[in-house]
Amino acid sequence: MAKRRHIALCMALMSLSMAPIGTQVVSAQSSPPVIQEGARGSAVAELQKALNERGFAAGPVDGIFGPQTAAAVAAFQRAHGLAPSGVATAATWALLLGTSGSASSAPAQISRPPAAPVSKGRTTSGPAVSNLRQVTISFQGKVVSRPYAFTANGTTYVPIWYLMNMLKSIGVQSSWNGRTWALTLPKGTSVDFSNIRLAAGSHVITMNGKPVARVTGIPYPDPYTHRETTFMPIWYLQQALRRIGIQYEWDGRHWTMTRSNPNLYASYRSDGTLIGRFPTLADAEKALAGDPGGVVKDANGNIVYTAQPPVTYTAYGPDGSTLGTYNSLQDAKSAVAAMPGASVVDSSGKLVYTQPVAYVALGSDGRVRGLYASLADAQAAIIDDPGATVENAAGQVVYTQPAATPVFSAYSQTGALLGTYVRLSDAEDALANNPGGTVTDSTGKVVFTEPAAPVYTAFTARGQLLGTYQDRAAAINAVSSSPGATVKDTAGNVLYIQPLAAYTAFSPSGAILGVYSSLSVAEQALAGTPGGTVKDPSGEVVYTQPSQPSGGQGSGGSQPGPSFTNVDLRYPAPANITASVIDQYLRAHNSPLAGLGSVFIQAQNLYGVNANYLVSHAILETGWGKSQIARAKNNLFGYGAFDSNPGVDAGTFPSDAYAILFEAWEVRQNYLTPGSSLYVSPTLAGMNVHYATDPHWAASIGALMGQLAAYVGDSVTSYRQYAPSNQPPNPALTAEPVFRLNGAAAVVQPTPNYGGLPYYSTWSYGSSHMFVRTLQNGTAGGDVATLQQALNQVNHAGLVVDGVFGPLTAAALKQYQSKAGLPATGVCDYNTWKSLIPPPATVIPAGTKVTVDQVEQGMAGGLVTEWYHVVNYGWVNANFIQFTNVYRLTVSNPLSPSAVNIPVYKPGNPNTVLTTMHAGDWVVAADTDPVNGYITIQFVDQNSGQAQQGWVSAAQVTLTPVR
């Protein structure tokens, strides 16, 4: 497994790729007085107002120079290189009001920072940045973002990325090329182009192609992502937006914007006639009441809402039989009133009601074992679990299962008795690490045998045995020099085929020097032959012998011809790579990835990443979808699988489809986008620098891409080669994909330190602010960056916020610990963390039953970690949540392409297929026991977001709890 060297820092950088800057101008006062603590009057009020506007919290503007105002003055002075006396001197007034050495008119009095493009992601020298703080941006009375801003040149700068997102919500489209922020306004939008005066500046703001402002931004790392982005002065942004009718108020921390009667939405009846135009989508939707088929269009003419026919409700019995369809929910409830476990589903397929059952069976571990209509049924469910209980509808314990006589005996392979047990599961657990051991019941019948450890057998191309191995990698290594050789598992399944003699070494003149079974041997054959090349079976050049030692980026040398390692991965694969072709190709190789072809194409279309590359990468990482990490964790790309402990460290994904979409997003955002921290070039060769430690990783995937291309009779010549002048299409989406759940119930687990489970507005904020590990010299990650930022703010440590804990961070931490009365160890334990970063005011108490509706892949403590969105709370670390009704779809043969694609049927009608799922997908189920051969599941259509209920065949599927 190639080590992912970037993972510990990468996910902390996953939200943004650009952003702008803001400026508030304060008029100068002639000969302002020197004032200090104790003073009162209008001069003090003006001082407080100016300090607040620049982000230095002076408190209420009350004209009283108190301790808070003095502290704000000292902070301002410190940020601008003055002695922090806390006295408003003439020099302080000059800097505060922007009158130090320039014209008196605003805003020309503000000094301009030098040009600082960020198209290459490099920081240039510029003005001093100070007072980094979080501000609030609101529009039409609603908070839309809370970005960080800073003070420079005596004014406030904000990142434009957040403003671009806000404008998009009202139909204003944006593009940013590092120099020009181009706004495209909806048709009919009135723009005031009067009194345009373009000052000097390196960046231009245009509206419908016409420049309206010229400013100079400052590239600076966004504290949320630590990725460099563009900040612009807020004053110029405010004046530009006033041209389209957006008014504003700004107090130094809160930017409030309003727009009077924009009438952005138009409602049309089902016959196409216009009903009217409305300022909000909700108003436009209301206008369509009683007119199914009517639509609402936004300012660009896009349909954003379609009125649906009245909702109906279908009642189903506990066995899934249809009881009837009703026009009201109350009528449907009445139909199931005497049927515990019956359910009601609305016309969209959403489960809206379940008739309460009389008894709940709880295991001895406190987990729900099932819901039942009779006490006898509930008792039967816990008969093998001493200490388990049954509760009635009021929550009262009405039965406790007594201890039972042990009936299961566990024996080692040699026949030695290991113990007797009441439950079969306990007896099975006793056989861990005892291959060949058995469990017998009270009659002496063998009911379980512990399987032997997996054995991998290596054979030559002619079937001659090469050896048997406990480790799959060792078996593959044994056939590395035997073209056509195979590795099989204990069931006889072929897990690996050594490529045929595939690497041919050529002299610079084209003469064949030799044919070799491995790339490394072919490369060695070119030692002393500068300009010699190695080609793979498709004729692709995968290596060129350099004329001198390379000091570059791991690109594999020059490429004299088209190469899959130099394909620009931001362009789609040729049209001959379709979903059906991908599935056919995978089936031809007996791969359980078959059936995911449409998802690979969807990932290409949404995130702008070549589908052939995504397929080939998944094949390489999973051994054609058969690796243990792929089968157990739905992890198709080895994401987070560090070399030291890949099976444990690898991230878990709720479905194979989500893993594909996530990988496409991750690769496009962090490897293929110029300016991102891991960008070298948008090619396999460029990705190889940061993605993997294996120097042949790019060549291996390139060879697989060549195989898929050859499968459709194509070659590398049909793929766009990378050139700096390429202008690839922009991805349709840049937001991280989300996996949605329908009715997932969970229990909050105990959390160290916090006394409950902290929750956050976003997983990225939570990953950097929740204490999950001790930080010390050598650790790295988003939490280290948060620590560095806190030390800079509290102790003015002057650290570079890079997320890497080094000697300077340790020294700054010791200094803080000494001042705070903590042990000066230079190690950040929880006591130090909570002193610097106070824990959330509220947490979810351990034991709380909650509902989870979303899953995202994230980070915690430098490791890949899932984050769950808990309804009515926020995002939480998945390590402290235990699901009670979420299961993996499990099949008997997960290596078979024909077994892993699972049809989901309409409840009560197994002749109608609602959708097809893949083995390993997460679903919700109230009861895992089949009824009439089917198990009822709840899930969400991940494309439409619609919650649904369906049936899966118990003959094909079992449900395995998600732990």
Side-chain angles (χ1 to χ4, degrees), residues 62-79:
D62 56 7
I64 302 173
F65 199 130
Q68 186 173 356
T69 302
V73 171
F76 177 84
Q77 291 167 329
R78 187 180 298 107

Side-chain angles (χ1 to χ4, degrees), residues 452-456 469-471 490:
V455 175
Y456 302 94
Y469 306 86
Q470 295 297 318
D471 182 71
T490 50

Side-chain angles (χ1 to χ4, degrees), residues 559-842:
Q559 301 290 346
S563 164
F564 275 109
T565 57
N566 191 50
V567 166
D568 191 329
L569 300 178
R570 300 170 296 180
Y571 287 88
N576 52 31
I577 303 297
T578 64
S580 60
V581 163
I582 292 172
D583 286 335
Q584 292 169 9
Y585 175 69
L586 294 170
R587 289 191 187 95
H589 289 80
N590 197 35
S591 171
L593 297 176
L596 297 172
S598 61
V599 184
F600 285 110
I601 296 299
Q602 180 188 24
Q604 172 180 266
N605 295 339
L606 291 178
Y607 296 106
V609 181
N610 186 289
N612 188 338
Y613 149 71
L614 290 171
V615 174
S616 300
H617 189 171
I619 291 171
L620 179 73
E621 293 289 352
T622 65
W624 292 90
K626 298 179 179 180
S627 73
Q628 181 63 23
I629 291 176
R631 290 164 53 193
K633 296 191 170 187
N634 295 328
N635 189 330
L636 303 186
F637 299 90
Y639 193 75
F642 292 104
D643 288 347
S644 58
N645 199 358
V648 174
D649 292 345
T652 297
F653 293 83
S655 72
D656 287 340
Y658 180 75
I660 295 168
L661 295 173
F662 176 85
E663 179 71 9
W665 171 77
E666 153 74 4
V667 166
R668 183 59 190 259
Q669 289 294 107
N670 293 305
Y671 290 90
L672 306 184
T673 299
S676 62
S677 61
L678 301 172
Y679 176 83
V680 176
S681 70
T683 65
L684 286 172
M687 285 183 64
N688 205 157
V689 176
H690 294 301
Y691 199 98
T693 53
D694 179 5
H696 305 308
W697 177 86
S700 299
I701 295 180
L704 288 167
M705 291 180 67
Q707 290 180 25
L708 178 51
Y711 182 79
V712 294
D714 203 354
S715 69
V716 71
T717 56
S718 297
Y719 290 74
R720 182 69 169 265
Q721 295 288 295
Y722 171 66
S725 59
N726 284 358
Q727 296 293 322
N730 291 323
L733 290 179
T734 58
E736 178 179 353
V738 175
F739 183 86
R740 293 174 172 82
L741 291 164
N742 173 18
V747 178
V748 174
Q749 302 300 296
T751 309
N753 303 314
Y754 288 96
L757 180 56
Y759 56 92
Y760 304 92
S761 58
T762 65
W763 76 255
S764 57
Y765 186 82
S767 70
S768 61
H769 284 73
M770 180 179 178
F771 183 84
V772 295
R773 60 173 177 168
T774 299
L775 307 179
Q776 55 191 331
N777 197 5
T779 55
D783 46 1
V784 176
T786 301
L787 172 66
Q788 293 168 327
Q789 182 178 328
L791 289 171
N792 285 344
Q793 292 177 339
V794 175
N795 216 33
H796 310 293
L799 297 172
V800 175
V801 181
D802 57 3
V804 179
F805 198 124
L808 293 179
T809 301
L813 185 58
K814 286 182 179 179
Q815 183 182 19
Y816 170 78
Q817 289 170 327
S818 295
K819 291 183 178 180
L822 299 167
T825 60
V827 174
C828 183
D829 57 8
Y830 178 69
N831 288 331
T832 302
W833 182 268
K834 72 176 181 180
S835 175
L836 272 166
I837 304 160
T842 57

